[in-house]
Structure formats: structure tokens, C-alpha cells
Amino acid sequence: MRKLFGWLFLLAGLTIGLWLGSDLYRWQQARGWQPVSAELLHVALQENQSDDSTTWRVTARYQYDYAGHLWQSDQVAIADRADNIGDFQQRLYAQLNHSWQQQQPVTAWVNPVQPQQALLNRELRPGLLVFKGLFPLIFGGIGLSVLLLGRRARTGADNAGKHNDQPWLGRRQWQSTSLVSAGRSSWIVALVMALLWIAVSMPLLFVLPDEIADGNHAALIGLLFPLVGVGLIIWALRAWLRWRRYGQSRLQLDTLPVPLGGVLRAALEIPGQLSSRSIQAQLLCVRKTVSGSGKNRRTSESILWENQYDFAIQVGANKAVQSARVVIPLPDDQPVSDWHDQRQQIIWRLRASASEPGVDYASQFELPVFAVEHDQANADSTPELPPQQADLWRDTGVQHGYVSHGQRFYWPRYRLLAASLWVLLAGLIFGGVGVVLLQQQQAWLMGGVFVLIGLLIVWGAVTMLFQRSEITFGQGQLRYAHGVFGGEKVIPLAEIRQLSHKRSASIGYNTYYRIELQRWGSEKTISIADWVPGERQTAALV
């Protein structure tokens, strides 16, 4: 049933895409049609009301002389269906109705090959084009997601009811200590998403030149949509190159399941050659939430806990396969793996990565973490853990040195350049859609909401890009300057009760922390640095 549902949505997306393509085909044809004088015989504005919206459609009948023959037509515009995108229908009706009442001729555009085909308006409306383009993206994306999730569901069938005492055996991928990373499917999903986005945004490239030539410079914002498609293609290409170069990694668990409050011990096997000498392994506990339904359905993830270590890469007897011994302690105050409720899941992920020339190595595994008995003494000692570096805090990207009045820790501007540019692009897209809705469609409420959201996202990107933090200890004082515009403030060291760190934000799988202080006699916390990466690194710095 799920497979049928997925195919229906995917076919619906393709069908709507063809519907959008038919409008573009008619518009391209009409650009070569001939203008003639036409007499209006009838003009009306149809109003269609439903429970939650009202749509309009201009109808007209007119006659015209072409090549010595008198023809009649009732084709008005390229998109000859009722809609409520902006005030196009009302404006067109007012224009035609005025000419009809005044018995004035209008211009009709006639197909010279088939003179019975004509239009009174051959404008291709950008707002309607974007609106229609969303549907093949949404329907096709839903269909593709359902098909892929259905495939995963078949490979990891939930038989939890048969394994009440060992719930992890309810998933097929957890019935063995050998876990397989996402391989080919990851770049295929990325490629399909990129192609869907480009299919929706490419029609804008046919519309924008004429709009810009007519003086509508706000249409330049529409170029952001094809640029996003280019970015998605690059993402898909890098995912494909990663799969070709490193293949499908495996994680061989020492114990099944991984004990909550115990230690993850496993061997990571990589069927490829890495130039790096170490692997960065990040263990995360993530809450995945699905809210809403239908077109308002939204999926979000929040990181509940994360930790990361570097592990040395080893070359075994099979030189074609490299491996790394992964040992990471788990907390005992986090939830166990839970996938039964599709709207609220707890996922434990292990992400392994290494910086490599060309394309970086990356793999990801979903772990079965459950509350089972384990050797607590062994968990506490964790002799296999790499020793904590004395200068681990330097991995926060801080610039450390000495100045005349003490020891200085400094995080410069622009250190989050890549992340802030992606956030900035998202803000510009939201704002661009809002500007188009405001200028072209006079959709004041929706356009205003999009512009406001876009401005907030852009401001967030600006603060990420230009924020700097500087902390100096010395001469019995703590001096700090934090933020985009914040000046230097001074606090006597004797007034500081404690320094602490707190998670402030997550971008993708990168978690950032804020360094705070509290003064004696006050419960208020003062932020003295932000966007500091890594929990262990930030804790070591504090």
C-alpha cells in the first residue's frame, strides 16, 4: 500500500510538471504569433468560492479577421484556469471590460499556422509559474521519500512484538553486530532532489530576461532559485564521488546492543585509501520530530547530546581496507533508541569523517542503544580511550596569546563563513519570494510574512559572519568584547562565581556552545563568547 501511495505521488508530481510545461510551451509558441485587431463579443469575470478560498477567471469571446477569413475564439490567456495568485484576473477583466463597454477594439495574438488559435493576453506570470512549480517538487519529493522509506522499512522490518526482551532485534539492520553505512542511496537521493529543484526553477530562466528587459529589476531575485539547483547538483556530485572513492563502510560492534551508560566499542572498516592518519568520530543522540500533516508536514531534528574523539587509522592484513578502533563512552541520562512512533523518534548516530584531498571521507551509522546490563567498572575506566590532549581547547578555533594586561583568547570574525553563507542564501530566497509576491502579485500578507522571515534569517547570517569574541584575563580582571557591535566590558575576577558552557545552536551535525559567567550575588548569566565548536573542546577551554 505504501509503495502504491509513493508511486501515485511521484506520478502526480510528474503530471503537474507536464502541466507546467504545457504553459511554457504555449508561451513560447505565442511569442511568434501575429497581432491583429479583434472585436469583443462578451466579457465576464467568473468567481468560484470554496470553503477556504475564492478564485477568479476571465472569460471572453471575440472575433477577428485574419488572411481574409473571420474567426472567433474564447481563449483569453496562456493559463486559462481560475486562480487567485495576485490581481491578474481582476486587472485583465477591468481592461477588457472597459474596451467592451466603450466598443473599442483590442489586440489579439493569432497563430499564423492555425488561425483559429488566438490569445488576448500572452503574458507568462512569474508568480503563477513559481506557485505551480512548487507542486511537482512537493508531490514528487513526497512520492520519492515514501518509496525510499518503504524500501528501508522492508529491509528493516519492525518485528518488535516478537522480541519484547530484545527490542533491537525488531530491526533487521540490528540483528547483526555488523552495521552498514549509507552508500549509493545517499547520492541518489541528493541527485533526485537536485533534478527536481532544477526542473522547477529552470523555467524562470525563460521568463527573467523579458521581465528584466521590461524594467522589472526585482525579477533578478529569481536567479537565486537556479543557483540553489546548481548547489544541489554540486552536493550530489560530491556524494557520488565520495561513494566511488570510499565505497560502503562497515562498523563492527563489539557488543549488541550498545549499552546506555556504557561504552561504544567498535571497529570501523573503510574499503578505501585515506591519506589522513586519524578519523574523527562523532556520537549523537538526536530527537527526530514530525509535526503537522499534509502540506503542513514538517520534520525537524534536535541534538540532545553529542561527543567526539579522534582515533588513529590502522592498516590491516588486507591493505585495501583501512580500519579505526572506535571507543566512546555514553551517558546514562539520555533516552534509548526508539523508532516505533514515526512522529517522535530517538536516534543514536555515529558519524565518522576525515579531511581528504578532493572530497572528504564521511560515513554514518544508526546505532542500537538500549539500557542493558554492562560492566560499569570497565565503562568508567575506558582504557582504550585516547588520552585527552592538554591543549584540546585549541580545537575551538581560538587564537591564544599574551598582551600587556594578560592572557588573551580571541575568536575572529568570518570563522563561520561557509555556514553563514548558506544561512544567508536561505534568507535571500525567503525575502526574494516575498518581494515577488509584494511587487508582482500584491499579496501583502503572504509577501510581508516571507519578507519578515527572510530579514530575520539574513540578520542571523550577518551575526554569524561578523560576530567576534575576545576574552582577556590579567591584573585581577576579566575583559571581554562579544558580538557584532559589543564594546569591551571589565569584571573584577573576585566578583566571578563560576564559568560554564551551554549549548547555543546546531547547524547540521555541528554543535556550538556559549561560554557564560555568573557573578556572586546574582543568578543572571553573562555570555562572553559564542559559536564555540565542540562540547569536550569547549569544556576543556572553560
Side-chain angles (χ1 to χ4, degrees), residues 159-203:
N159 299 315
K162 302 178 181 178
H163 305 281
N164 292 326
D165 55 338
Q166 297 178 316
W168 56 91
L169 297 181
R171 304 190 76 179
R172 189 170 300 171
Q173 65 266 37
W174 289 347
Q175 293 178 359
S176 166
T177 56
S178 180
L179 306 183
V180 181
S181 68
R184 184 173 59 181
S185 61
S186 60
W187 70 262
I188 291 178
V189 171
L191 180 61
V192 171
M193 289 180 60
L195 292 178
L196 282 172
W197 184 278
I198 288 177
V200 170
S201 59
M202 282 301 290

Side-chain angles (χ1 to χ4, degrees), residues 256-279:
L256 184 70
V258 179
L260 185 70
V263 180
L264 164 65
R265 290 186 171 88
L268 174 65
E269 298 178 351
I270 307 167
Q273 295 299 311
L274 277 67
S275 60
S276 301
R277 296 183 178 180
S278 63
I279 286 284

Side-chain angles (χ1 to χ4, degrees), residues 437-451:
L437 291 173
L438 289 173
Q439 291 197 353
Q440 301 296 322
Q441 310 301 330
Q442 280 75 51
W444 303 110
L445 178 60
M446 185 63 69
V449 170
F450 269 82
V451 169

Side-chain angles (χ1 to χ4, degrees), residues 172-360:
R172 189 170 300 171
Q173 65 266 37
W174 289 347
Q175 293 178 359
S176 166
T177 56
S178 180
L179 306 183
V180 181
S181 68
R184 184 173 59 181
S185 61
S186 60
W187 70 262
I188 291 178
V189 171
L191 180 61
V192 171
M193 289 180 60
L195 292 178
L196 282 172
W197 184 278
I198 288 177
V200 170
S201 59
M202 282 301 290
L204 288 173
L205 297 180
F206 297 96
V207 180
L208 292 177
D210 291 337
E211 291 292 324
I212 296 169
D214 292 339
N216 181 16
H217 299 296
L220 287 168
I221 298 174
L223 291 173
L224 290 172
F225 289 87
L227 288 176
V228 171
V230 173
L232 290 173
I233 284 288
I234 295 174
W235 171 44
L237 178 61
R238 289 180 62 84
W240 177 76
L241 290 173
R242 181 177 294 114
W243 176 73
R244 290 278 296 179
R245 180 173 175 181
Y246 305 114
Q248 201 163 41
S249 299
R250 286 185 175 272
L251 187 70
Q252 305 289 350
L253 300 176
D254 284 14
T255 60
L256 184 70
V258 179
L260 185 70
V263 180
L264 164 65
R265 290 186 171 88
L268 174 65
E269 298 178 351
I270 307 167
Q273 295 299 311
L274 277 67
S275 60
S276 301
R277 296 183 178 180
S278 63
I279 286 284
Q280 184 182 78
Q282 181 186 27
L283 182 61
L284 306 104
C285 179
V286 177
R287 175 180 283 116
K288 181 179 179 180
T289 304
V290 178
S291 58
S293 61
K295 63 182 181 181
N296 296 320
R297 185 183 180 91
R298 187 182 66 175
T299 301
S300 60
E301 291 189 353
S302 59
I303 298 176
L304 304 179
W305 177 90
E306 65 94 22
N307 208 343
Q308 61 185 30
Y309 290 87
D310 290 342
F311 299 100
I313 295 177
Q314 304 167 352
V315 179
N318 183 0
K319 295 184 179 180
V321 178
Q322 294 181 321
S323 64
R325 183 67 180 168
V326 176
V327 181
I328 302 178
L330 280 73
D332 57 6
D333 58 350
Q334 296 298 324
V336 299
S337 299
D338 187 355
W339 69 96
H340 300 94
D341 185 356
Q342 293 297 317
R343 303 186 70 86
Q344 185 94 316
Q345 300 182 34
I346 299 297
I347 301 171
W348 284 84
R349 289 196 185 108
L350 179 72
R351 299 183 70 250
S353 60
S355 297
E356 291 289 311
V359 59
D360 294 339

Side-chain angles (χ1 to χ4, degrees), residues 495-509:
E495 294 184 10
I496 299 176
R497 183 172 67 179
Q498 70 171 2
L499 286 176
S500 60
H501 67 288
K502 183 178 181 181
R503 190 174 67 195
S504 60
S506 297
I507 300 178
Y509 292 112

Side-chain angles (χ1 to χ4, degrees), residues 19-51:
W19 173 43
L20 175 64
S22 67
D23 284 353
L24 289 170
Y25 178 73
R26 291 187 67 192
W27 171 75
Q28 185 64 34
Q29 273 192 322
R31 296 182 68 182
W33 290 6
Q34 302 297 317
V36 299
S37 180
E39 176 188 357
L40 289 168
L41 305 177
H42 173 74
V43 177
L45 180 64
Q46 293 181 351
E47 181 176 332
N48 306 305
Q49 292 187 345
S50 62
D51 293 338

